[in-house]
């Protein structure tokens, strides 16, 4: 990044003193907004084409601008471009370079436009591009979760409430709950994109412009769904970014919940899943350790994404219309959120996937220990509700059934037996409504199979739900 005093700023006409050196560095955004160079050039090319279309530029001027900007994009991508702090931001750096290359036509590019509508347009274009990348990655994660869910449709584990064993469920059913959250995130993102995809360009500094611009033309060139209907709002609105960051916060909240479960399940106390070495690290002092770093980091990163949302809301809350320099502070939290979301989704989609082995086999990065899950489901009297439901079907009132089962559980705690391990005679001590068919309902398989309705945990329903979820994807 150069900082030479000789660079001439495009707005110094009314100034008699140079900018204070620290103020120049303090106010520059080029260090972080240069990542929008492609969208800035794309927007400028569309603007130049529109200006030629309405007769403000000649065809020759338009062509010189388009060629010049295209060459500048090449310079940037080859790492040859000299960014300058004195030129503040990505917009003025590129415009200045254009003028150096093509002369007077370059100086005409900014006709009928301001950096205020230019930056608002660039940020929207940039975010739109990133949303499309993020939406794909989210779908990849969902597809991998659905594959696991299908394979684990019959795998039994304890379901929890209050983190206490509640009722047996299938692991596939649990994974489908994750997918439901992500499916809503997917739909919310598509909806957010609609409001991102409006074009501020043409709002100029705040009030519009005196040139006979054709905003619909520019919007079509740039693939926007429409133009911002009010110029003051157009330059100052950052709701679209706030909405994306709210979306990102909900997504990270979900990923953080999944992470919490994976961390618990991978612990020596639960031992429900094995996470492959590729997604864990060791300890520099304790040789036995294998830490679930990936889920832990993702859980931690939810903090910065929530924080960025709060930053953005706070940046906006005190601003009078229209543009204020405060808005320059929108970029770092937004960009950080985009980067964080992309990283978290990528690592999660990979972790829920597999490594293809030389013999073609799939080595999954997350493998359930089915026997351990099953044991845990047997240990917590998870079929107690099934026994109560059985009694109700045999004519006992639910409250009485609850009491009878409570006594049976107390007996089980004392004798160290699960309900399914008691003899018929032992069970009949508590109610003569219990017959020898009771064991069909007290087994884990019987329990999950009985919850056979839409949204229930029965393996058959899980398989069905996987198919319909794939269709929605
Ligand atoms: N770098 C500025 C930003 O990010 C561009 C707009 C500057 N506009 C202005 N009137 N100073 O917001």
């Amino acid at each position: 990044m150069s900082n030479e005093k000789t660079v001439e700023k495009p707005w110094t006409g009314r100034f008699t003193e140079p900018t204070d050196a620290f103020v120049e560095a303090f106010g520059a955004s080029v260090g972080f907004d240069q990542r929008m160079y492609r969208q800035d050039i794309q927007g400028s090319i569309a603007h130049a084409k529109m200006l030629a279309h309405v007769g403000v530029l000649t065809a020759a001027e338009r062509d010189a601008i388009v060629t010049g900007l295209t060459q500048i994009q090449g310079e940037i991508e080859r790492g040859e471009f000299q960014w300058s702090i004195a030129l503040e931001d990505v917009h003025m750096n590129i415009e200045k370079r254009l003028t150096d290359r093509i002369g007077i036509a370059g100086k005409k590019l900014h006709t009928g436009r301001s950096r205020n509508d230019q930056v608002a347009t660039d940020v929207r274009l940039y975010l739109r591009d990133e949303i499309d990348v993020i939406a794909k990655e989210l779908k990849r994660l969902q597809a991998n979760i659905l594959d696991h869910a299908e394979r684990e449709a019959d795998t039994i584990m304890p379901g929890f409430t209050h983190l206490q064993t509640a009722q047996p469920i299938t692991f596939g059913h649990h994974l489908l709950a994750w997918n439901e959250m992500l499916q809503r995130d997917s739909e919310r993102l598509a909806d957010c994109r609609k409001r991102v995809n409006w074009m501020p360009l043409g709002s100029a500094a705040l009030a519009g412009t005196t040139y006979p611009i054709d905003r619909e033309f520019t919007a079509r060139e740039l693939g926007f769904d429409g133009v911002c209907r009010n110029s003051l709002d157009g330059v100052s609105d950052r709701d679209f970014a706030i909405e994306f960051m709210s979306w990102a916060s909900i997504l990270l909240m979900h990923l953080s919940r999944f992470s919490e479960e994976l961390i618990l399940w991978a612990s020596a106390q639960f031992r429900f899943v094995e996470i492959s070495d590729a997604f864990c690290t060791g300890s520099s002092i304790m040789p036995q350790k294998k830490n679930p770093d990936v889920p832990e980091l993702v859980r931690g990163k939810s903090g910065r994404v929530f924080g960025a949302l709060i930053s953005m809301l706070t940046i906006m809350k005190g601003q009078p219309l229209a543009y204020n320099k405060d808005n320059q502070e929108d970029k770092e939290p937004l960009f950080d959120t985009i980067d964080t979301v992309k990283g978290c989704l990528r690592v999660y989609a990979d972790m829920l996937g597999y490594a293809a082995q030389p013999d073609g086999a799939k080595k999954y990065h997350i493998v359930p220990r089915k026997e351990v899950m099953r044991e845990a489901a047997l240990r917590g009297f998870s079929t107690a509700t099934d026994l109560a439901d059985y009694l109700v079907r045999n004519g006992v009132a639910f409250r009485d059934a609850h009491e009878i089962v409570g006594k049976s559980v107390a007996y089980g705690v004392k004798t160290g037996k699960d309900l399914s391990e008691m003899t018929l005679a032992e069970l009949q001590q508590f109610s003569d409504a219990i017959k020898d068919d009771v064991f069909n309902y007290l087994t884990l398989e019987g329990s999950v199979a009985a919850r056979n309705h839409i949204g229930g945990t029965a393996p058959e329903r899980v398989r069905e739900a996987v198919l319909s979820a794939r269709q929605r994807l």
Side-chain angles (χ1 to χ4, degrees):
M1 191 94 47
S2 95
N3 192 347
E4 344 133 32
K5 289 285 151 268
T6 50
V7 177
E8 204 189 312
K9 304 180 203 304
W11 43 254
T12 49
R14 64 101 74 208
F15 286 75
T16 51
E17 284 178 340
T19 319
D20 175 89
F22 182 67
V23 168
E24 190 167 273
F26 183 71
S29 55
V30 63
F32 50 85
D33 66 15
Q34 56 179 267
R35 67 155 79 189
M36 303 192 299
Y37 74 89
R38 229 167 0 95
Q39 291 76 13
D40 192 68
I41 288 173
Q42 187 187 4
S44 290
I45 288 178
H47 181 66
K49 286 184 178 168
M50 183 279 290
L51 289 177
H53 174 70
V54 300
V56 172
L57 290 182
T58 65
E61 287 167 338
R62 175 199 60 202
D63 294 345
I65 289 172
V66 172
T67 310
L69 286 173
T70 309
Q71 285 165 348
I72 290 171
Q73 178 159 340
E75 288 177 1
I76 296 172
E77 284 167 0
R78 289 191 301 274
E80 295 162 12
F81 191 92
Q82 261 301 319
W83 298 99
S84 151
I85 284 177
L87 289 168
E88 283 180 46
D89 51 31
V90 63
H91 324 292
M92 290 205 301
N93 267 270
I94 291 177
E95 190 190 325
K96 177 71 170 39
R97 177 77 186 130
L98 180 69
T99 303
D100 290 348
R101 289 189 74 117
I102 69 169
I104 192 81
K107 292 191 178 180
K108 294 187 179 181
L109 169 63
H110 212 51
T111 311
R113 176 176 88 166
S114 154
R115 268 187 300 155
N116 298 350
D117 59 345
Q118 185 179 0
V119 68
T121 303
D122 289 4
V123 176
R124 284 175 185 262
L125 287 172
Y126 183 83
L127 180 55
R128 186 184 72 186
D129 290 345
E130 295 290 3
I131 284 176
D132 293 342
V133 174
I134 289 168
K136 277 209 195 93
E137 205 60 348
L138 178 54
K139 286 196 195 310
R140 184 166 76 91
L141 168 57
Q142 286 187 263
N144 286 351
I145 289 177
L146 291 177
D147 288 351
H148 272 287
E150 189 170 48
R151 278 196 315 282
E152 309 301 342
D154 296 291
T155 308
I156 289 180
M157 69 183 285
F160 299 92
T161 60
H162 312 266
L163 202 55
Q164 309 290 315
T165 299
Q167 292 172 352
I169 57 170
T170 50
F171 186 39
H173 192 58
H174 193 112
L175 291 167
L176 282 175
W178 286 12
N179 181 62
E180 284 302 308
M181 300 180 218
L182 295 178
Q183 179 61 28
R184 288 193 296 277
D185 290 331
S186 229
E187 290 168 17
R188 261 190 291 269
L189 183 62
D191 201 57
C192 166
R193 188 190 192 280
K194 292 182 200 158
R195 276 172 297 279
V196 170
N197 204 26
W198 282 72
M199 188 188 77
L201 207 59
S203 303
L206 76 163
T209 174
T210 55
Y211 298 93
I213 56 171
D214 183 345
R215 298 184 68 201
E216 302 287 353
F217 179 99
T218 324
R220 270 196 306 278
E221 283 288 313
L222 294 172
F224 280 111
D225 293 329
V227 301
C228 297
R229 288 179 291 245
N230 180 291
S231 62
L232 298 172
D233 181 54
V235 288
S236 65
D237 166 35
R238 296 292 183 274
D239 295 5
F240 67 90
I242 293 177
E243 193 174 338
F244 170 78
M245 293 161 85
S246 312
W247 171 84
S249 296
I250 296 177
L251 172 77
L252 262 288
M253 175 273 290
H254 286 152
L255 294 181
S256 183
R257 295 182 68 185
F258 306 165
S259 296
E260 176 66 10
E261 294 193 325
L262 285 174
I263 293 162
L264 281 172
W265 294 346
S267 69
Q269 287 65 33
F270 270 82
R271 296 184 64 252
F272 281 9
V273 298
E274 174 80 32
I275 304 178
S276 77
D277 290 0
F279 288 80
C280 295
T281 61
S283 157
S284 51
I285 173 167
M286 298 165 283
Q288 85 283 13
K289 291 294 288 292
K290 178 171 158 184
N291 298 326
D293 280 39
V294 167
E296 287 176 281
L297 253 184
V298 170
R299 185 177 60 182
K301 281 181 192 291
S302 62
R304 65 198 279 168
V305 170
F306 300 172
L309 170 63
I310 297 300
S311 299
M312 194 68 134
L313 287 166
T314 313
I315 288 162
M316 293 310 293
K317 76 176 273 292
Q319 290 193 52
L321 288 171
Y323 177 87
N324 303 280
K325 185 77 167 182
D326 312 42
N327 282 337
Q328 183 165 292
E329 286 292 304
D330 65 356
K331 287 169 205 62
E332 287 164 293
L334 175 62
F335 295 162
D336 188 67
T337 298
I338 291 170
D339 295 344
T340 305
V341 163
K342 276 165 60 178
C344 291
L345 283 176
R346 176 180 170 173
V347 78
Y348 243 81
D350 288 348
M351 186 171 64
L352 271 291
Y354 57 84
Q357 300 302 285
D359 63 354
K362 298 171 173 176
K363 184 180 175 298
Y364 285 92
H365 297 301
I366 293 183
V367 178
R369 289 201 187 87
K370 301 186 193 202
E371 282 320 305
V372 177
M373 285 181 164
R374 202 190 149 75
E375 250 314 294
L378 276 176
R379 258 186 281 118
F381 299 100
S382 64
T383 55
T385 316
D386 296 87
L387 180 55
D389 290 345
Y390 169 86
L391 288 166
V392 169
R393 278 195 302 276
N394 287 358
V396 181
F398 183 76
R399 275 296 154 226
D400 293 333
H402 192 287
E403 180 67 19
I404 291 165
V405 179
K407 295 228 160 74
S408 321
V409 168
Y411 174 79
V413 171
K414 208 171 68 195
T415 56
K417 287 182 185 172
D418 184 66
L419 295 174
S420 62
E421 292 164 343
M422 296 176 193
T423 63
L424 184 58
E426 279 176 305
L427 285 168
Q428 283 173 335
Q429 304 171 70
F430 306 104
S431 168
D432 51 18
I434 298 178
K435 312 282 177 215
D436 62 359
D437 64 344
V438 70
F439 295 104
N440 299 338
Y441 305 95
L442 291 187
T443 63
L444 298 175
E445 281 71 16
S447 170
V448 294
R451 285 165 174 79
N452 187 18
H453 51 77
I454 297 173
T457 197
E460 197 187 326
R461 292 303 184 156
V462 168
R463 273 185 278 271
E464 232 171 66
V466 167
L467 295 185
S468 82
R470 282 208 183 109
Q471 260 153 30
R472 281 184 286 151
L473 247 193

